[in-house]
Amino acid sequence: MKFKKMLLLMSRFILGAVFIFAAVGKIYNPAAFAGDIDNYRMLPYILVTLMAVVLPWIELICGVLLISGKWLKGSSFIVIIMNIMFIVAIASAMARGLDIDCGCFSVGSSASRVGMVRLIQDFLWLALAVIVFRDAIKKRA
Amino acid sequence: MPIKKILIETVVITVVATLLGFANNFINPNRVAITAMRPVAPSASDAELEADSLQGPVVVDREQLKKLVSEQGAILIDARLPEEYDAGHIPGAINIPIELFGEFIDTIEALPRDAWLIGYCDGPPCDKGKNMAEELFYMGFMRVAYYDAGMDDWKSSEEVQR
C-alpha cells in the first residue's frame, strides 16, 4: 500500500516536471517549435502552426495539474494521448529514415535528434501516465 | 470509469491552453504565423541573377524562373521520382531524381557549364530541389538555383506538362 502510494506520487511528480520542462522552451519560441513539427512531414501546415501554438500550453497545464494533484483524470488522460502521438510521430520518422530534431524538450538547433532513446523515454512517460490515470479513475470524484 | 469527468476536464484544459497559446503567440516576438501556406525561402536579388558565378545556390520564385528560362535558357531539373515527373512537371524540365543522382552522372556532366540550372521539387517541406542545386554547385556548376516554392506553386497558375 505504501509502495503504491510512493509510486503514484513519484509518477505524478516526474511526469509533471518533465512536461513543464518540455513546455517552457516551446512557449518561448513557437516559430522554432513549428519548424520542428514540420520536419516530421506528417501534418498540413495549418495544423503544424496550430499545434506549435497550443500544444506547449497543454503540456504546461497538465504538468502543473499533475504536480498539484488536481484534475488528475483529465490531465493524465491528455498526457497518455499526447505520448501515444509522440510515439507514433517518432516511430514514423525513424521508419522513414528522417534525421531530424526531435522537438521534444528544446527547440531549434539545440534540440536532440529523434531516435530510439526518445522512443523509449516516451514509452516510460506513457507508463507513468497510465499509473496516474488508473488510480485517478478508481477514486470517487 | 468516470467518462464524463474525464471529458469535461480534457475539454477545459484544451480550451484554456488554446486561449493562452493564442495570447502568447500574439505578444511573443518569436511568434509563428498561423497560415496554411508554408513559408518559402527568400528569393535571389537581381544582382545575383545577373552574376557570372555565385557563392552558392540561390532561390528563385516563379517569375524569376520564367525569366531565366526565357531570357537565359535556364535548364529546369525536376529532382523528384520518375512517376511524379510523369504525373506532371514544369514544361521543358528534365528529370534527374535526387535518389538516382549517381546513375545520371553522364547526363549531368553533359550539361552546359555556363547555363543556369534550376532544381525543384513539390515545394516545402520537400528539399530535393535544394539538394539537387547543392550537389550541382559542388560539382562545379557556377549558376545554380532552386525553385523552393516548387510544383505546388507552379500548378496553382501555370501550365503543367505530362
Side-chain angles (χ1 to χ4, degrees):
Chain A
M1 202 59 199
K2 216 171 178 189
F3 169 76
K4 246 180 126 177
K5 230 174 169 177
M6 275 293 273
L7 180 71
L8 195 65
L9 207 63
M10 268 177 55
S11 300
R12 272 177 41 212
F13 272 81
I14 293 172
L15 213 52
V18 163
F19 271 77
I20 291 171
F21 177 62
V24 174
K26 300 170 192 166
I27 286 172
Y28 177 71
N29 197 340
F33 184 43
D36 284 347
I37 301 172
D38 203 25
N39 282 335
Y40 282 87
R41 300 177 198 181
M42 292 179 81
L43 297 173
Y45 194 68
I46 185 77
L47 292 183
V48 169
T49 54
L50 286 173
M51 204 167 155
V53 167
V54 174
L55 187 86
W57 288 91
I58 297 183
E59 290 181 336
L60 181 73
I61 294 171
C62 287
V64 171
L65 289 172
L66 282 169
I67 288 181
S68 61
K70 301 262 188 290
W71 281 29
L72 291 177
K73 293 183 196 70
S75 58
S76 60
F77 176 70
I78 292 178
V79 169
I80 288 172
I81 301 292
M82 280 200 290
N83 269 302
I84 292 172
M85 264 165 45
F86 299 159
I87 288 166
V88 169
I90 292 175
S92 126
M94 285 168 68
R96 286 175 292 155
L98 296 180
D99 178 28
I100 54 172
D101 290 327
C102 174
C104 301
F105 290 104
S106 49
V107 289
S109 53
S110 62
S112 62
R113 315 299 278 182
V114 292
M116 205 38 101
V117 178
R118 289 300 176 205
L119 205 57
I120 293 168
Q121 236 172 30
D122 278 340
F123 272 109
L124 180 67
W125 309 148
L126 180 63
L128 296 184
V130 170
I131 292 173
V132 178
F133 182 71
R134 281 184 54 144
D135 182 78
I137 57 171
K138 261 191 285 178
K139 282 182 189 153
R140 290 190 50 187
Chain B
M1 202 191 284
I3 292 175
K4 201 172 157 194
K5 192 106 188 184
I6 297 169
L7 264 179
I8 290 171
E9 291 183 6
T10 301
V11 169
V12 173
I13 292 170
T14 310
V15 169
V16 173
T18 305
L19 294 175
L20 287 171
F22 274 86
N24 173 54
N25 196 52
F26 186 70
I27 56 168
N28 195 318
N30 301 317
R31 75 178 66 90
V32 58
I34 297 171
T35 138
M37 285 302 290
R38 282 188 170 76
V40 170
S43 46
S45 65
D46 291 344
E48 282 176 309
L49 295 186
E50 276 156 29
D52 291 326
S53 66
L54 300 163
Q55 302 299 312
V58 295
V59 178
V60 291
D61 60 28
R62 194 189 330 141
E63 291 310 315
Q64 289 172 324
L65 177 143
K66 282 158 71 177
K67 207 170 154 198
L68 284 176
V69 170
S70 63
E71 291 178 10
Q72 303 202 45
I75 297 166
L76 297 172
I77 302 174
D78 191 317
R80 300 172 302 163
L81 295 169
E83 49 266 37
E84 293 172 297
Y85 174 82
D86 291 340
H89 54 267
I90 300 176
I94 59 171
N95 183 213
I96 302 178
I98 192 78
E99 293 88 347
L100 305 175
F101 196 81
E103 288 178 32
F104 280 81
I105 206 75
D106 291 342
T107 315
I108 295 160
E109 290 285 4
L111 293 170
R113 293 270 148 182
D114 56 347
W116 270 100
L117 304 178
I118 306 175
Y120 70 87
C121 183
D122 284 328
C126 179
D127 54 5
K128 290 180 184 180
K130 182 185 181 191
N131 295 340
M132 172 63 65
E134 282 168 355
E135 290 286 345
L136 292 170
F137 191 78
Y138 290 133
M139 281 184 68
F141 291 95
M142 301 303 277
R143 298 200 290 173
V144 179
Y146 60 99
Y147 174 35
D148 192 44
M151 211 54 213
D152 293 341
D153 174 64
W154 184 267
K155 271 190 302 202
S156 66
S157 67
E158 305 286 337
E159 187 194 335
V160 171
Q161 187 181 343
R162 281 171 226 280

PDB file of all heavy atoms in Angstrom, chain A residues 24-35 45 49 52-53 107, chain B residues 21 23-34:
ATOM      1  N   VAL A  24       8.377  24.773 -21.585  1.00  0.00           N
ATOM      2  CA  VAL A  24       8.894  26.136 -21.443  1.00  0.00           C
ATOM      3  C   VAL A  24       9.588  26.660 -22.714  1.00  0.00           C
ATOM      4  O   VAL A  24       9.271  27.744 -23.206  1.00  0.00           O
ATOM      5  CB  VAL A  24       9.837  26.226 -20.218  1.00  0.00           C
ATOM      6  CG1 VAL A  24      10.488  27.596 -20.146  1.00  0.00           C
ATOM      7  CG2 VAL A  24       9.038  25.960 -18.944  1.00  0.00           C
ATOM      8  N   GLY A  25      10.511  25.878 -23.254  1.00  0.00           N
ATOM      9  CA  GLY A  25      11.245  26.318 -24.446  1.00  0.00           C
ATOM     10  C   GLY A  25      10.331  26.542 -25.636  1.00  0.00           C
ATOM     11  O   GLY A  25      10.520  27.463 -26.430  1.00  0.00           O
ATOM     12  N   LYS A  26       9.309  25.700 -25.743  1.00  0.00           N
ATOM     13  CA  LYS A  26       8.388  25.803 -26.875  1.00  0.00           C
ATOM     14  C   LYS A  26       7.492  27.029 -26.746  1.00  0.00           C
ATOM     15  O   LYS A  26       7.141  27.662 -27.737  1.00  0.00           O
ATOM     16  CB  LYS A  26       7.512  24.549 -26.959  1.00  0.00           C
ATOM     17  CG  LYS A  26       8.304  23.268 -27.138  1.00  0.00           C
ATOM     18  CD  LYS A  26       7.406  22.056 -26.966  1.00  0.00           C
ATOM     19  CE  LYS A  26       8.215  20.783 -26.856  1.00  0.00           C
ATOM     20  NZ  LYS A  26       7.401  19.671 -26.358  1.00  0.00           N
ATOM     21  N   ILE A  27       7.114  27.332 -25.490  1.00  0.00           N
ATOM     22  CA  ILE A  27       6.287  28.516 -25.268  1.00  0.00           C
ATOM     23  C   ILE A  27       7.093  29.771 -25.588  1.00  0.00           C
ATOM     24  O   ILE A  27       6.579  30.732 -26.148  1.00  0.00           O
ATOM     25  CB  ILE A  27       5.779  28.539 -23.804  1.00  0.00           C
ATOM     26  CG1 ILE A  27       4.680  27.489 -23.638  1.00  0.00           C
ATOM     27  CG2 ILE A  27       5.281  29.932 -23.423  1.00  0.00           C
ATOM     28  CD1 ILE A  27       4.231  27.275 -22.208  1.00  0.00           C
ATOM     29  N   TYR A  28       8.388  29.708 -25.289  1.00  0.00           N
ATOM     30  CA  TYR A  28       9.262  30.848 -25.549  1.00  0.00           C
ATOM     31  C   TYR A  28       9.439  31.074 -27.051  1.00  0.00           C
ATOM     32  O   TYR A  28       9.581  32.198 -27.496  1.00  0.00           O
ATOM     33  CB  TYR A  28      10.620  30.599 -24.885  1.00  0.00           C
ATOM     34  CG  TYR A  28      11.626  31.682 -25.143  1.00  0.00           C
ATOM     35  CD1 TYR A  28      11.495  32.938 -24.547  1.00  0.00           C
ATOM     36  CD2 TYR A  28      12.700  31.461 -26.007  1.00  0.00           C
ATOM     37  CE1 TYR A  28      12.412  33.937 -24.796  1.00  0.00           C
ATOM     38  CE2 TYR A  28      13.623  32.453 -26.259  1.00  0.00           C
ATOM     39  CZ  TYR A  28      13.468  33.690 -25.658  1.00  0.00           C
ATOM     40  OH  TYR A  28      14.380  34.684 -25.907  1.00  0.00           O
ATOM     41  N   ASN A  29       9.433  29.979 -27.828  1.00  0.00           N
ATOM     42  CA  ASN A  29       9.696  30.119 -29.255  1.00  0.00           C
ATOM     43  C   ASN A  29       8.769  29.260 -30.130  1.00  0.00           C
ATOM     44  O   ASN A  29       9.167  28.219 -30.645  1.00  0.00           O
ATOM     45  CB  ASN A  29      11.156  29.770 -29.543  1.00  0.00           C
ATOM     46  CG  ASN A  29      11.612  30.273 -30.897  1.00  0.00           C
ATOM     47  OD1 ASN A  29      10.788  30.557 -31.772  1.00  0.00           O
ATOM     48  ND2 ASN A  29      12.922  30.387 -31.077  1.00  0.00           N
ATOM     49  N   PRO A  30       7.516  29.719 -30.312  1.00  0.00           N
ATOM     50  CA  PRO A  30       6.558  28.953 -31.124  1.00  0.00           C
ATOM     51  C   PRO A  30       7.045  28.750 -32.565  1.00  0.00           C
ATOM     52  O   PRO A  30       6.790  27.696 -33.160  1.00  0.00           O
ATOM     53  CB  PRO A  30       5.296  29.816 -31.101  1.00  0.00           C
ATOM     54  CG  PRO A  30       5.449  30.720 -29.935  1.00  0.00           C
ATOM     55  CD  PRO A  30       6.912  30.946 -29.755  1.00  0.00           C
ATOM     56  N   ALA A  31       7.756  29.734 -33.108  1.00  0.00           N
ATOM     57  CA  ALA A  31       8.198  29.627 -34.503  1.00  0.00           C
ATOM     58  C   ALA A  31       9.172  28.460 -34.673  1.00  0.00           C
ATOM     59  O   ALA A  31       9.054  27.672 -35.616  1.00  0.00           O
ATOM     60  CB  ALA A  31       8.844  30.934 -34.951  1.00  0.00           C
ATOM     61  N   ALA A  32      10.135  28.346 -33.746  1.00  0.00           N
ATOM     62  CA  ALA A  32      11.113  27.262 -33.847  1.00  0.00           C
ATOM     63  C   ALA A  32      10.439  25.911 -33.646  1.00  0.00           C
ATOM     64  O   ALA A  32      10.759  24.932 -34.320  1.00  0.00           O
ATOM     65  CB  ALA A  32      12.219  27.456 -32.812  1.00  0.00           C
ATOM     66  N   PHE A  33       9.458  25.875 -32.721  1.00  0.00           N
ATOM     67  CA  PHE A  33       8.756  24.627 -32.473  1.00  0.00           C
ATOM     68  C   PHE A  33       7.950  24.213 -33.710  1.00  0.00           C
ATOM     69  O   PHE A  33       7.898  23.034 -34.073  1.00  0.00           O
ATOM     70  CB  PHE A  33       7.858  24.755 -31.234  1.00  0.00           C
ATOM     71  CG  PHE A  33       7.159  23.486 -30.842  1.00  0.00           C
ATOM     72  CD1 PHE A  33       7.829  22.273 -30.844  1.00  0.00           C
ATOM     73  CD2 PHE A  33       5.822  23.500 -30.468  1.00  0.00           C
ATOM     74  CE1 PHE A  33       7.191  21.098 -30.487  1.00  0.00           C
ATOM     75  CE2 PHE A  33       5.171  22.332 -30.108  1.00  0.00           C
ATOM     76  CZ  PHE A  33       5.856  21.131 -30.128  1.00  0.00           C
ATOM     77  N   ALA A  34       7.356  25.196 -34.387  1.00  0.00           N
ATOM     78  CA  ALA A  34       6.617  24.898 -35.620  1.00  0.00           C
ATOM     79  C   ALA A  34       7.553  24.259 -36.652  1.00  0.00           C
ATOM     80  O   ALA A  34       7.180  23.300 -37.334  1.00  0.00           O
ATOM     81  CB  ALA A  34       5.995  26.173 -36.187  1.00  0.00           C
ATOM     82  N   GLY A  35       8.778  24.787 -36.736  1.00  0.00           N
ATOM     83  CA  GLY A  35       9.762  24.210 -37.658  1.00  0.00           C
ATOM     84  C   GLY A  35      10.064  22.765 -37.313  1.00  0.00           C
ATOM     85  O   GLY A  35      10.142  21.903 -38.199  1.00  0.00           O
ATOM     86  N   TYR A  45       0.269  22.296 -43.119  1.00  0.00           N
ATOM     87  CA  TYR A  45       0.952  23.371 -42.401  1.00  0.00           C
ATOM     88  C   TYR A  45       0.053  24.103 -41.399  1.00  0.00           C
ATOM     89  O   TYR A  45       0.514  24.515 -40.346  1.00  0.00           O
ATOM     90  CB  TYR A  45       1.560  24.365 -43.396  1.00  0.00           C
ATOM     91  CG  TYR A  45       2.550  25.282 -42.731  1.00  0.00           C
ATOM     92  CD1 TYR A  45       3.753  24.784 -42.251  1.00  0.00           C
ATOM     93  CD2 TYR A  45       2.279  26.637 -42.560  1.00  0.00           C
ATOM     94  CE1 TYR A  45       4.664  25.608 -41.615  1.00  0.00           C
ATOM     95  CE2 TYR A  45       3.192  27.472 -41.936  1.00  0.00           C
ATOM     96  CZ  TYR A  45       4.383  26.951 -41.469  1.00  0.00           C
ATOM     97  OH  TYR A  45       5.271  27.766 -40.829  1.00  0.00           O
ATOM     98  N   THR A  49       1.099  24.826 -37.448  1.00  0.00           N
ATOM     99  CA  THR A  49       1.171  26.101 -36.727  1.00  0.00           C
ATOM    100  C   THR A  49       0.247  26.096 -35.508  1.00  0.00           C
ATOM    101  O   THR A  49       0.629  26.566 -34.438  1.00  0.00           O
ATOM    102  CB  THR A  49       0.806  27.283 -37.646  1.00  0.00           C
ATOM    103  OG1 THR A  49      -0.469  27.035 -38.228  1.00  0.00           O
ATOM    104  CG2 THR A  49       1.826  27.449 -38.755  1.00  0.00           C
ATOM    105  N   ALA A  52       1.864  24.099 -32.818  1.00  0.00           N
ATOM    106  CA  ALA A  52       3.007  24.801 -32.230  1.00  0.00           C
ATOM    107  C   ALA A  52       2.536  25.841 -31.218  1.00  0.00           C
ATOM    108  O   ALA A  52       3.204  26.102 -30.220  1.00  0.00           O
ATOM    109  CB  ALA A  52       3.837  25.464 -33.325  1.00  0.00           C
ATOM    110  N   VAL A  53       1.363  26.421 -31.463  1.00  0.00           N
ATOM    111  CA  VAL A  53       0.846  27.475 -30.595  1.00  0.00           C
ATOM    112  C   VAL A  53       0.186  26.890 -29.336  1.00  0.00           C
ATOM    113  O   VAL A  53       0.383  27.386 -28.226  1.00  0.00           O
ATOM    114  CB  VAL A  53      -0.152  28.355 -31.380  1.00  0.00           C
ATOM    115  CG1 VAL A  53      -0.951  29.255 -30.460  1.00  0.00           C
ATOM    116  CG2 VAL A  53       0.592  29.183 -32.427  1.00  0.00           C
ATOM    117  N   VAL A 107      13.909  23.388 -28.541  1.00  0.00           N
ATOM    118  CA  VAL A 107      13.545  23.560 -29.943  1.00  0.00           C
ATOM    119  C   VAL A 107      14.713  24.146 -30.721  1.00  0.00           C
ATOM    120  O   VAL A 107      15.648  24.688 -30.134  1.00  0.00           O
ATOM    121  CB  VAL A 107      12.311  24.480 -30.090  1.00  0.00           C
ATOM    122  CG1 VAL A 107      11.078  23.767 -29.603  1.00  0.00           C
ATOM    123  CG2 VAL A 107      12.524  25.779 -29.351  1.00  0.00           C
TER     124      VAL A 107
ATOM    125  N   GLY B  21      -2.329  29.903 -25.535  1.00  0.00           N
ATOM    126  CA  GLY B  21      -1.425  29.729 -26.668  1.00  0.00           C
ATOM    127  C   GLY B  21      -1.554  30.861 -27.673  1.00  0.00           C
ATOM    128  O   GLY B  21      -0.564  31.443 -28.102  1.00  0.00           O
ATOM    129  N   ALA B  23      -2.849  33.837 -27.106  1.00  0.00           N
ATOM    130  CA  ALA B  23      -2.421  35.085 -26.465  1.00  0.00           C
ATOM    131  C   ALA B  23      -0.904  35.188 -26.497  1.00  0.00           C
ATOM    132  O   ALA B  23      -0.332  36.226 -26.856  1.00  0.00           O
ATOM    133  CB  ALA B  23      -2.944  35.136 -25.032  1.00  0.00           C
ATOM    134  N   ASN B  24      -0.230  34.106 -26.135  1.00  0.00           N
ATOM    135  CA  ASN B  24       1.240  34.095 -26.141  1.00  0.00           C
ATOM    136  C   ASN B  24       1.774  34.335 -27.546  1.00  0.00           C
ATOM    137  O   ASN B  24       2.706  35.121 -27.749  1.00  0.00           O
ATOM    138  CB  ASN B  24       1.756  32.758 -25.606  1.00  0.00           C
ATOM    139  CG  ASN B  24       3.261  32.628 -25.754  1.00  0.00           C
ATOM    140  OD1 ASN B  24       4.019  33.488 -25.312  1.00  0.00           O
ATOM    141  ND2 ASN B  24       3.706  31.559 -26.388  1.00  0.00           N
ATOM    142  N   ASN B  25       1.161  33.680 -28.521  1.00  0.00           N
ATOM    143  CA  ASN B  25       1.659  33.812 -29.886  1.00  0.00           C
ATOM    144  C   ASN B  25       1.434  35.227 -30.424  1.00  0.00           C
ATOM    145  O   ASN B  25       2.135  35.689 -31.310  1.00  0.00           O
ATOM    146  CB  ASN B  25       0.975  32.791 -30.799  1.00  0.00           C
ATOM    147  CG  ASN B  25       1.709  32.616 -32.113  1.00  0.00           C
ATOM    148  OD1 ASN B  25       2.909  32.375 -32.124  1.00  0.00           O
ATOM    149  ND2 ASN B  25       1.002  32.770 -33.218  1.00  0.00           N
ATOM    150  N   PHE B  26       0.449  35.900 -29.848  1.00  0.00           N
ATOM    151  CA  PHE B  26       0.151  37.264 -30.282  1.00  0.00           C
ATOM    152  C   PHE B  26       1.223  38.233 -29.796  1.00  0.00           C
ATOM    153  O   PHE B  26       1.635  39.137 -30.525  1.00  0.00           O
ATOM    154  CB  PHE B  26      -1.237  37.665 -29.762  1.00  0.00           C
ATOM    155  CG  PHE B  26      -1.706  38.992 -30.258  1.00  0.00           C
ATOM    156  CD1 PHE B  26      -2.062  39.157 -31.602  1.00  0.00           C
ATOM    157  CD2 PHE B  26      -1.799  40.077 -29.405  1.00  0.00           C
ATOM    158  CE1 PHE B  26      -2.487  40.391 -32.071  1.00  0.00           C
ATOM    159  CE2 PHE B  26      -2.232  41.314 -29.867  1.00  0.00           C
ATOM    160  CZ  PHE B  26      -2.572  41.469 -31.204  1.00  0.00           C
ATOM    161  N   ILE B  27       1.675  38.049 -28.548  1.00  0.00           N
ATOM    162  CA  ILE B  27       2.635  39.008 -27.985  1.00  0.00           C
ATOM    163  C   ILE B  27       4.086  38.541 -28.124  1.00  0.00           C
ATOM    164  O   ILE B  27       5.004  39.317 -27.940  1.00  0.00           O
ATOM    165  CB  ILE B  27       2.344  39.285 -26.484  1.00  0.00           C
ATOM    166  CG1 ILE B  27       2.348  37.975 -25.690  1.00  0.00           C
ATOM    167  CG2 ILE B  27       1.027  40.011 -26.311  1.00  0.00           C
ATOM    168  CD1 ILE B  27       2.348  38.198 -24.182  1.00  0.00           C
ATOM    169  N   ASN B  28       4.306  37.276 -28.463  1.00  0.00           N
ATOM    170  CA  ASN B  28       5.662  36.720 -28.486  1.00  0.00           C
ATOM    171  C   ASN B  28       6.435  37.189 -29.728  1.00  0.00           C
ATOM    172  O   ASN B  28       5.926  37.080 -30.841  1.00  0.00           O
ATOM    173  CB  ASN B  28       5.564  35.186 -28.486  1.00  0.00           C
ATOM    174  CG  ASN B  28       6.883  34.533 -28.134  1.00  0.00           C
ATOM    175  OD1 ASN B  28       7.938  34.947 -28.594  1.00  0.00           O
ATOM    176  ND2 ASN B  28       6.813  33.506 -27.303  1.00  0.00           N
ATOM    177  N   PRO B  29       7.657  37.731 -29.554  1.00  0.00           N
ATOM    178  CA  PRO B  29       8.440  38.118 -30.734  1.00  0.00           C
ATOM    179  C   PRO B  29       8.812  36.915 -31.616  1.00  0.00           C
ATOM    180  O   PRO B  29       9.079  37.078 -32.802  1.00  0.00           O
ATOM    181  CB  PRO B  29       9.691  38.770 -30.142  1.00  0.00           C
ATOM    182  CG  PRO B  29       9.716  38.375 -28.709  1.00  0.00           C
ATOM    183  CD  PRO B  29       8.317  38.072 -28.292  1.00  0.00           C
ATOM    184  N   ASN B  30       8.825  35.719 -31.045  1.00  0.00           N
ATOM    185  CA  ASN B  30       9.124  34.507 -31.826  1.00  0.00           C
ATOM    186  C   ASN B  30       7.843  33.853 -32.340  1.00  0.00           C
ATOM    187  O   ASN B  30       7.780  32.638 -32.480  1.00  0.00           O
ATOM    188  CB  ASN B  30       9.894  33.498 -30.968  1.00  0.00           C
ATOM    189  CG  ASN B  30      11.195  34.057 -30.457  1.00  0.00           C
ATOM    190  OD1 ASN B  30      11.919  34.709 -31.190  1.00  0.00           O
ATOM    191  ND2 ASN B  30      11.484  33.823 -29.186  1.00  0.00           N
ATOM    192  N   ARG B  31       6.816  34.664 -32.573  1.00  0.00           N
ATOM    193  CA  ARG B  31       5.523  34.085 -32.951  1.00  0.00           C
ATOM    194  C   ARG B  31       5.597  33.391 -34.302  1.00  0.00           C
ATOM    195  O   ARG B  31       6.479  33.654 -35.119  1.00  0.00           O
ATOM    196  CB  ARG B  31       4.446  35.173 -32.990  1.00  0.00           C
ATOM    197  CG  ARG B  31       4.520  36.102 -34.192  1.00  0.00           C
ATOM    198  CD  ARG B  31       3.382  37.106 -34.141  1.00  0.00           C
ATOM    199  NE  ARG B  31       3.508  38.007 -33.007  1.00  0.00           N
ATOM    200  CZ  ARG B  31       4.166  39.175 -33.058  1.00  0.00           C
ATOM    201  NH1 ARG B  31       4.745  39.567 -34.164  1.00  0.00           N
ATOM    202  NH2 ARG B  31       4.251  39.953 -31.992  1.00  0.00           N
ATOM    203  N   VAL B  32       4.646  32.463 -34.497  1.00  0.00           N
ATOM    204  CA  VAL B  32       4.544  31.794 -35.786  1.00  0.00           C
ATOM    205  C   VAL B  32       3.263  32.285 -36.460  1.00  0.00           C
ATOM    206  O   VAL B  32       2.229  32.451 -35.798  1.00  0.00           O
ATOM    207  CB  VAL B  32       4.561  30.254 -35.621  1.00  0.00           C
ATOM    208  CG1 VAL B  32       3.427  29.770 -34.729  1.00  0.00           C
ATOM    209  CG2 VAL B  32       4.490  29.566 -36.968  1.00  0.00           C
ATOM    210  N   ALA B  33       3.337  32.558 -37.756  1.00  0.00           N
ATOM    211  CA  ALA B  33       2.146  32.981 -38.492  1.00  0.00           C
ATOM    212  C   ALA B  33       1.259  31.761 -38.707  1.00  0.00           C
ATOM    213  O   ALA B  33       1.713  30.752 -39.239  1.00  0.00           O
ATOM    214  CB  ALA B  33       2.551  33.584 -39.825  1.00  0.00           C
ATOM    215  N   ILE B  34       0.008  31.867 -38.259  1.00  0.00           N
ATOM    216  CA  ILE B  34      -0.904  30.738 -38.412  1.00  0.00           C
ATOM    217  C   ILE B  34      -1.521  30.813 -39.798  1.00  0.00           C
ATOM    218  O   ILE B  34      -2.402  31.615 -40.069  1.00  0.00           O
ATOM    219  CB  ILE B  34      -1.971  30.746 -37.303  1.00  0.00           C
ATOM    220  CG1 ILE B  34      -1.263  30.580 -35.958  1.00  0.00           C
ATOM    221  CG2 ILE B  34      -2.980  29.621 -37.521  1.00  0.00           C
ATOM    222  CD1 ILE B  34      -2.141  30.783 -34.778  1.00  0.00           C
TER     223      ILE B  34
END
